[in-house]
Amino acid sequence: MPVSPNRFQFPAAKPRLLWSGVLAFALLPSIAVAQETAPAAEAAPAVVETAPPTAAPLTGVPAAICAKLSTPATVFDAGDSAGAAAFYQSRQCRPLWVDAQGRTHAADVAISELGRAEEWGLDGSDFKLVAATQSLAPGQSTPEQLATADLEITAAVLRYAHQAEGARIPEPEKQLSSYIDRTPVITAAPEVLARIADNANPDEVLRSFQPPQEQFQKLKTLLASLRGGPIDKANLLVIPMRGPMLSSGERSPDVATLKQRFEITSEPGDEQLFDAALASAVKRFQASKGLSDDGIVGPATRAALAGNDTGSSSDKIEAVIANMEEWRWMPRSLGNTHILVNIPSFSIALTDDGKTVFSDRVVVGTAATETPIFSKDMTTIVLKPRWNIPDSIKLSMLLSGRSIEKQGYVVMRNGRRIDSTQVNWAKANLSAYQFYQPAGDDNALGLVKLLFPNKHSVYLHDTPSKSLFNESVRLYSHGCMRVRNPQDFAQRIFDIDRGEAAPNVKQLVRKGPMDNEFALQRPVPVHVGYFTVWVDDDGEAQYYKDWYGHQNRITLALAGKWDQIDVGRDHLAAVDTSALKQVRFNKSNADTPTDLNSDGKPYRKYDGGVGDMIRQALGF
């Protein structure tokens, strides 16, 4: 709504009637005494209050600012116009960045900080100023010129603050992929301006809108290095992709190259000796690449050390900027105790009081059944859990040709066990039926399940398929994340949560009850991230493959190429159950396994039937 200049008025003076009333109240006792002793007098004429004087109309720069804000066309982004107008109105259109002499010192400081936007992974062209950078000669600039400059700086400041918080992609879940369950938290325009107005250090205020996380700051440093800092030594100190296996005790010119790369010093004559220090450095490198961290330089480690997965300098810059954008969507505080799963590196880390107290490998979702990106609080740990099956897998099971019971699962509805062969699945509401796999050695969830309730119905859990953790690429699950050593992981969490009163996980797994559920006293934030670039504690950047294509989507969005983004299907949409019309069960295959008891006790192992085939195809 256009704002009329006449609305920007100073508050009217308070009526003097209030003071006359107070005075009369103070004199009440004297007046009463006088009335008792004095003769009646003629009533005094009533006091007539004059109307308070109206505020003087605005003039000069404030009047010019009000006039410009009242016009439909302003320099502000669409979402900021109303908020900026309200802020200026609250201060009678007083300027933020100019005075009678031109730009203020605060304006120069803010403009200088805007000029460093690209250092933070933003696009500097979004903050180009015209009117504000022209010469504003003291006493010679018109109010209109000064007003234009003031509003232009304010618009750029708002744009910077919002973009620093992630406003360039305001709805990742809709604009990029339904698997990216992130929403940037954008500070409203009036609050941004209130924080920066009349502040002696507007540059510090602007920087405060950038993500504070340590990894984001490391990426900023990496970006500066890629754009013109020292040449990355890892690009120069590489070994051939093909060559002999290297391990402790062996000598090779390649060993000398690796020692230079990892900055390991040697005694004279031992430059080519593969020693313990190099073995430790190789193990850290292997772990960062998702390789088996055995400290031996074999074919896979050689390929990674040869740099075949790092890309060109421009590719790295794009990757770093995309990762910085993802950090803008993350919670500003990850939590003093928190869990971070990074999908591209197939890794998980538990941090407590700033220190990593547990790290491990994970298996994540396939490219067709991605693990979603989100943050939620872990509230519950279940030992010896049963597996509740999602609708998408229920459909596959029903289409297998065997009854659900024959495959080793239980069907429930409204708390009552159901015979799957007696249900008309062509007309049934699939979501109304609960399919689950009882707890047991072959349960798809293994012996530990860690829950952080979310709309994607995914969680962290154990798995009987331990061999998959030896793979360098671990894209095998239906969306959940499997942890290599879940009992140790659960014990660490319990120890932090309950101290000496923590339950003994391994003992309960051996002798405790089925589906044994523990609520955490202090929920632990779980952040499932998708970071294809990670700077380790040694300052070395690790680059991972863009398995799900999210980095590419972000890069396209930042370039304004929205029409080229493959958003894909909504993975939370209802499962299409039309194929259930084909389901027909014969009585001959409807028999329940003899060792699957009605109360859901452990059942026999898989026998290689159709159920087994589905289990393997889905990665369970």
Side-chain angles (χ1 to χ4, degrees):
M1 178 184 294
V3 181
S4 171
N6 293 330
R7 292 179 58 196
F8 295 88
Q9 303 290 343
F10 292 98
K14 297 295 182 181
R16 287 173 293 176
L17 183 59
L18 175 62
W19 287 106
S20 62
V22 172
L23 181 61
F25 181 80
L27 295 176
L28 276 177
S30 300
I31 294 174
V33 172
Q35 287 177 339
E36 291 176 358
T37 59
E42 188 175 322
V47 177
V48 179
E49 291 286 342
T50 59
T54 58
L58 297 178
T59 59
V61 178
I65 289 177
C66 279
K68 290 182 178 296
L69 290 172
S70 68
T71 60
T74 68
V75 294
F76 296 103
D77 294 341
D80 288 336
S81 294
F87 177 81
Y88 272 101
Q89 179 183 6
S90 70
R91 50 187 281 130
Q92 290 77 49
C93 287
R94 284 188 295 111
L96 279 169
W97 311 106
V98 301
D99 57 21
Q101 302 302 311
R103 287 197 313 266
T104 63
H105 173 69
D108 292 337
V109 172
I111 291 173
S112 178
E113 188 63 32
L114 292 173
R116 290 190 283 270
E118 293 199 358
E119 297 177 14
W120 297 92
L122 301 177
D123 186 346
S125 64
D126 288 340
F127 312 103
K128 294 294 185 184
L129 301 174
V130 179
T133 55
Q134 293 175 346
S135 177
L136 299 175
Q140 297 182 19
S141 300
T142 66
E144 286 72 22
Q145 289 175 317
L146 292 171
T148 299
D150 195 84
L151 294 177
E152 185 182 49
I153 297 173
T154 297
V157 163
L158 288 173
R159 191 174 303 119
Y160 180 99
H162 295 335
Q163 290 194 13
E165 294 177 318
R168 289 191 290 181
I169 308 176
E171 297 181 293
E173 192 172 14
K174 295 180 180 179
Q175 297 169 295
L176 303 181
S177 168
S178 65
Y179 286 104
I180 304 179
D181 185 7
R182 298 274 186 214
T183 302
V185 178
I186 309 301
T187 305
E191 184 177 344
V192 173
L193 297 178
R195 286 169 58 178
I196 207 167
D198 304 320
N199 192 296
N201 301 297
D203 54 337
E204 294 181 3
V205 178
L206 282 174
R207 287 194 294 271
S208 71
F209 291 101
Q210 296 287 354
Q213 299 94 341
E214 179 185 14
Q215 191 61 211
F216 179 85
Q217 301 297 327
K218 287 182 176 181
L219 290 174
K220 176 179 179 288
T221 301
L222 174 61
L223 180 62
S225 175
L226 292 171
R227 282 175 166 169
I231 298 175
D232 187 354
K233 62 181 182 295
N235 287 338
L236 297 178
L237 302 173
V238 296
I239 61 175
M241 189 177 301
R242 298 181 182 275
M245 184 174 292
L246 304 175
S247 59
S248 294
E250 297 186 7
R251 291 179 178 270
S252 168
D254 290 347
V255 170
T257 300
L258 292 177
K259 283 188 171 182
Q260 291 181 61
R261 173 170 178 166
F262 294 121
E263 299 180 346
I264 296 172
T265 58
S266 301
E267 294 293 331
D270 287 343
E271 291 84 0
Q272 297 188 14
L273 176 64
F274 199 122
D275 53 22
L278 180 57
S280 297
V282 170
K283 287 181 179 180
R284 290 195 300 270
F285 176 82
Q286 290 170 325
S288 72
K289 293 294 185 183
L291 302 171
S292 177
D293 52 349
D294 53 13
I296 299 173
V297 180
T301 302
R302 270 190 174 273
L305 287 167
N308 67 327
D309 59 342
T310 57
S312 66
S313 179
S314 61
D315 290 339
K316 291 180 180 180
I317 290 173
E318 279 190 352
V320 170
I321 291 175
N323 278 258
M324 292 177 75
E325 200 67 20
E326 288 186 74
W327 278 105
R328 302 184 197 281
W329 311 335
M330 292 285 285
R332 289 302 165 110
S333 173
L334 300 181
N336 186 57
T337 301
H338 67 268
I339 296 164
L340 176 64
V341 178
N342 189 26
I343 291 172
S345 63
F346 312 115
S347 64
I348 186 171
L350 169 63
T351 298
D352 182 46
D353 199 20
K355 297 180 181 179
T356 300
V357 296
F358 177 88
S359 60
D360 207 351
R361 300 179 185 183
V362 294
V363 169
V364 299
T366 68
T369 56
E370 298 177 19
T371 296
I373 314 303
F374 66 101
S375 293
K376 288 292 182 181
D377 287 348
M378 179 181 292
T379 58
T380 309
I381 295 178
V382 185
L383 304 180
K384 298 165 73 170
R386 71 183 190 183
W387 177 37
N388 295 310
I389 299 165
D391 285 355
S392 57
I393 301 182
K394 292 178 190 176
L395 182 64
S396 299
M397 294 170 66
L398 288 168
L399 295 175
S400 69
R402 299 175 78 201
S403 71
I404 305 305
E405 293 79 9
K406 193 71 174 179
Q407 297 177 59
Y409 302 92
V410 177
V411 180
M412 303 282 289
R413 185 179 184 188
N414 296 328
R416 188 168 59 90
R417 187 164 176 168
I418 302 293
D419 181 350
S420 66
T421 65
Q422 302 301 310
V423 178
N424 183 352
W425 293 108
K427 296 182 178 180
N429 176 6
L430 192 59
S431 298
Y433 292 82
Q434 181 186 22
F435 291 18
Y436 72 85
Q437 185 184 32
D441 293 339
D442 260 7
N443 184 284
L445 304 187
L447 298 171
V448 180
K449 178 171 67 172
L450 305 101
L451 300 175
F452 36 105
N454 59 85
K455 66 183 181 182
H456 308 281
S457 299
V458 300
Y459 35 85
L460 289 156
H461 65 84
D462 186 11
T463 176
S465 304
K466 300 294 186 182
S467 63
L468 296 179
F469 292 107
N470 296 325
E471 301 291 334
S472 58
V473 178
R474 297 187 284 276
L475 300 167
Y476 292 103
S477 84
H478 197 75
C480 288
M481 294 145 281
R482 310 177 200 167
V483 185
R484 180 172 56 171
N485 296 296
Q487 293 184 43
D488 294 340
F489 183 43
Q491 189 66 62
R492 282 284 191 174
I493 296 173
F494 280 136
D495 290 344
I496 294 172
D497 186 60
R498 304 190 181 193
E500 295 182 356
N504 187 315
V505 172
K506 291 185 177 180
Q507 183 178 19
L508 288 172
V509 163
R510 288 196 306 269
K511 301 179 179 179
M514 298 290 180
D515 223 30
N516 195 7
E517 188 171 302
F518 293 85
L520 296 180
Q521 296 175 356
R522 292 171 296 174
V524 178
V526 177
H527 308 288
V528 184
Y530 190 88
F531 300 110
T532 55
V533 184
W534 193 269
V535 182
D536 62 23
D537 293 338
D538 296 327
E540 184 172 351
Q542 310 296 335
Y543 297 86
Y544 303 105
K545 189 171 180 179
D546 184 14
W547 301 106
Y548 294 164
H550 294 332
Q551 176 193 304
N552 182 57
R553 291 184 178 93
I554 295 170
T555 299
L556 290 172
L558 295 181
K561 300 177 181 179
W562 298 96
D563 58 335
Q564 298 182 30
I565 298 174
D566 179 16
V567 177
R569 66 179 183 85
D570 181 358
H571 75 287
L572 294 175
V575 175
D576 180 7
T577 59
S578 59
L580 290 177
K581 295 178 181 179
Q582 307 170 19
V583 175
R584 295 290 185 275
F585 287 132
N586 296 322
K587 189 65 178 175
S588 61
N589 68 11
D591 296 331
T592 301
T594 56
D595 53 355
L596 177 61
N597 300 324
S598 60
D599 57 355
K601 294 294 183 182
Y603 53 95
R604 63 180 173 80
K605 293 183 179 293
Y606 288 94
D607 56 7
V610 177
D612 248 356
M613 295 169 60
I614 293 174
R615 176 173 175 267
Q616 293 173 6
L618 294 173
F620 291 102

